[in-house]
Amino acid sequence: MIKFLKSLTLVYVLTVAIFSCSNESNENGYYSSGIFPTKTSRIAIEIDDQTRDFSLNVRHLEIDQGIEAIFHLNDINNSIGIYDVEKGKKIRTLYYEINGPNGVGEINGFDVVSKDTLLLLARYENRVSIAIATDNSDTLKLIRSYRLRAPNDPLITTPYSSVQAPIVIRNDSIIMAGVPYVNPEGGNMYDAGNNVIKISLKDSSYVYENMYSQGYKEKWTQHYSRISYTYNKEQGLLAFSNPISDSIYTFDHKGVRKDYMVKSALSEKMTPYRGSFQDNRRMRDHYNNQPNYGYVMYDKYRDYYYRFTENVATKELIKYGSTGIIRNIGVIVMNKDFEVIGETESLTLGSFPTIFIGKRGLYFMLVSNEESKMLYDLYEF
């Protein structure tokens, strides 16, 4: 089993007990109210010794006969593994070529259009490709690549794809997120903008859009730069969340915007960063010591929206000596109209969790200590 470096463990997801009461607080002192998921079981998926047991790039899709599958990016052997969630077994491995006429570059992000069609992102090459799987080959076939930056253009944003910001095809466009370049000598993220990229499927042209809230005119570190969005395909609705804003805003298929107040009961006025961008410890402590908003995700099975919160994990920061990014990951549960119907302060401990939503509930990937297994904690309502 190939493991991540131990020093990275705290940056990602560490497992703690989930709290199941529905009162204003529970026996552990964490806030909870209304409807929210609780941990019910642990899921193990078998992997080989050429597969990482943790990834930030996992996607869920129902395939043949309603089988729930997850697609897992594995950069060790340039492949995407497809696994049966219920059986915990691999279904298939799809390989991609980096170079040559069928090459898609060094892939560090992807999304799934269907079981046979994938979107592959080579972020540092500013390139996204459409590739398909065929029955007679385990190597993905490149259909078309789109450049996100002309050769002589200045670097103004770096694209990325993750659980918090999937690659979406909508209205004949590919939509993806980016982290803008911000001048450290007095620039701000709002003025930099360029944190959403739209690529035309028809003529390969692309435009940048600014989805930051007005609060980003203040000084914030890169920890706050990544917005999150989710796509309700049935309604053609995109919902966006900023780490520093109490509001969520949506765009329908016609581009009409609506804003919704989705404020955590634990929300506090956030303080912009006042230090040097060369001081990594101070930037990390600034992020660790105030709450902010994380991912927004749509659950088609329950017609819910989730807004994950990152709350201060005081005891854990003391225990681990503030050596990493450590948060209490909570969640706000909303109905289809973005009305808050529940919240809990602490589901798990860590930061930037890998989550997928399935028929039974929410699955949180763990940093595994078991040989040949990929582990998830399942949270159900």
Side-chain angles (χ1 to χ4, degrees):
M1 174 65 60
I2 297 177
K3 304 288 185 181
F4 271 127
L5 295 175
K6 294 298 184 182
S7 60
L8 291 180
T9 301
L10 293 178
V11 179
Y12 301 117
V13 178
L14 301 175
T15 307
V16 295
I18 186 167
F19 313 109
S20 59
C21 71
S22 57
N23 301 316
E24 289 286 315
S25 63
N26 57 32
E27 66 272 17
N28 293 281
Y30 291 109
Y31 173 85
S32 296
S33 180
I35 297 171
F36 55 91
T38 58
K39 187 172 74 173
T40 57
S41 59
R42 180 160 294 177
I43 307 299
I45 295 175
E46 294 180 9
I47 56 176
D48 57 35
D49 60 2
Q50 288 298 303
T51 301
R52 297 191 192 279
D53 58 8
F54 188 90
S55 174
L56 294 176
N57 287 284
V58 173
R59 296 293 186 270
H60 170 272
L61 185 73
E62 283 186 55
I63 57 174
D64 303 325
Q65 290 81 48
I67 293 172
E68 284 196 274
I70 56 169
F71 291 65
H72 176 103
L73 179 63
N74 182 21
D75 59 358
I76 294 175
N77 57 8
N78 304 327
S79 71
I80 294 173
I82 306 175
Y83 298 86
D84 185 319
V85 174
E86 183 177 356
K87 294 181 179 179
K89 305 282 188 180
K90 180 179 279 190
I91 299 171
R92 187 180 185 187
T93 302
L94 298 174
Y95 295 92
Y96 56 85
E97 297 178 6
I98 295 176
N99 301 307
N102 198 45
V104 293
E106 295 274 359
I107 299 304
N108 32 46
F110 80 104
D111 230 293
V112 180
V113 180
S114 69
K115 69 170 187 174
D116 301 318
T117 305
L118 282 76
L119 298 167
L120 305 174
L121 174 64
R123 67 179 306 218
Y124 297 111
E125 299 172 36
N126 287 276
R127 177 185 178 192
V128 63
S129 302
I130 299 176
I132 62 171
T134 61
D135 291 335
N136 57 4
S137 175
D138 287 330
T139 299
L140 289 165
K141 180 182 178 181
L142 173 64
I143 299 300
R144 186 172 181 179
S145 286
Y146 298 85
R147 293 289 178 179
L148 310 178
R149 178 187 173 204
N152 297 321
D153 283 354
L155 178 62
I156 61 175
T157 194
T158 302
Y160 70 93
S161 169
S162 70
V163 171
Q164 74 187 93
I167 306 174
V168 172
I169 292 183
R170 177 177 183 254
N171 294 347
D172 296 322
S173 295
I174 298 174
I175 300 171
M176 66 177 55
V179 176
Y181 170 76
V182 179
N183 186 342
E185 303 299 327
N188 66 72
M189 293 181 194
Y190 185 85
D191 290 340
N194 303 320
N195 59 352
V196 170
I197 310 163
K198 287 186 178 180
I199 308 105
S200 170
L201 291 170
K202 295 179 178 179
D203 61 13
S204 301
S205 62
Y206 57 89
V207 295
Y208 298 105
E209 296 188 357
N210 185 2
M211 293 297 172
Y212 284 131
S213 60
Q214 292 282 330
Y216 278 90
K217 291 183 177 180
E218 299 280 358
K219 187 177 178 181
W220 299 94
T221 69
Q222 287 297 305
H223 295 304
Y224 301 91
S225 66
R226 294 195 174 198
I227 63 167
S228 179
Y229 58 86
T230 190
Y231 184 45
N232 181 334
K233 188 175 181 179
E234 184 174 331
Q235 294 188 5
L237 194 71
L238 280 167
F240 288 83
S241 173
N242 283 300
I244 68 170
S245 174
D246 289 324
S247 296
I248 283 177
Y249 46 98
T250 65
F251 292 90
D252 66 16
H253 67 283
K254 295 181 179 179
V256 176
R257 173 171 171 160
K258 290 186 178 180
D259 290 64
Y260 301 89
M261 179 61 68
V262 185
K263 185 176 182 179
S264 169
L266 305 170
S267 178
E268 300 175 5
K269 181 175 176 56
M270 296 184 65
T271 303
Y273 183 64
R274 304 301 184 194
S276 166
F277 284 120
Q278 304 301 315
D279 191 338
N280 291 327
R281 173 63 181 265
R282 186 171 179 180
M283 288 192 293
R284 186 186 66 223
D285 289 348
H286 174 263
Y287 185 72
N288 270 338
N289 287 293
Q290 61 179 342
N292 66 274
Y293 296 102
Y295 309 167
V296 60
M297 300 181 76
Y298 175 64
D299 181 344
K300 69 177 183 180
Y301 297 104
R302 283 152 283 273
D303 208 11
Y304 287 168
Y305 289 90
Y306 307 118
R307 191 180 202 188
F308 293 92
T309 56
E310 297 192 11
N311 302 301
V312 178
T314 306
K315 294 178 181 178
E316 288 76 14
L317 284 173
I318 295 171
K319 179 179 178 181
Y320 292 106
S322 192
T323 56
I325 296 173
I326 308 169
R327 316 304 299 275
N328 271 322
I329 306 298
V331 67
I332 302 169
V333 182
M334 296 162 278
N335 64 18
K336 62 183 178 61
D337 298 315
F338 294 93
E339 297 168 331
V340 176
I341 58 176
E343 178 177 3
T344 187
E345 179 181 357
S346 185
L347 292 174
T348 189
L349 179 68
S351 195
F352 315 122
T354 295
I355 308 167
F356 73 84
I357 298 169
K359 293 178 183 178
R360 294 177 61 187
L362 286 67
Y363 294 76
F364 283 68
M365 182 178 265
L366 309 177
V367 176
S368 175
N369 291 314
E370 298 189 32
E371 292 294 325
S372 305
K373 290 182 181 179
M374 187 192 309
L375 300 178
Y376 285 89
D377 277 344
L378 171 61
Y379 298 77
E380 299 179 85
F381 285 92

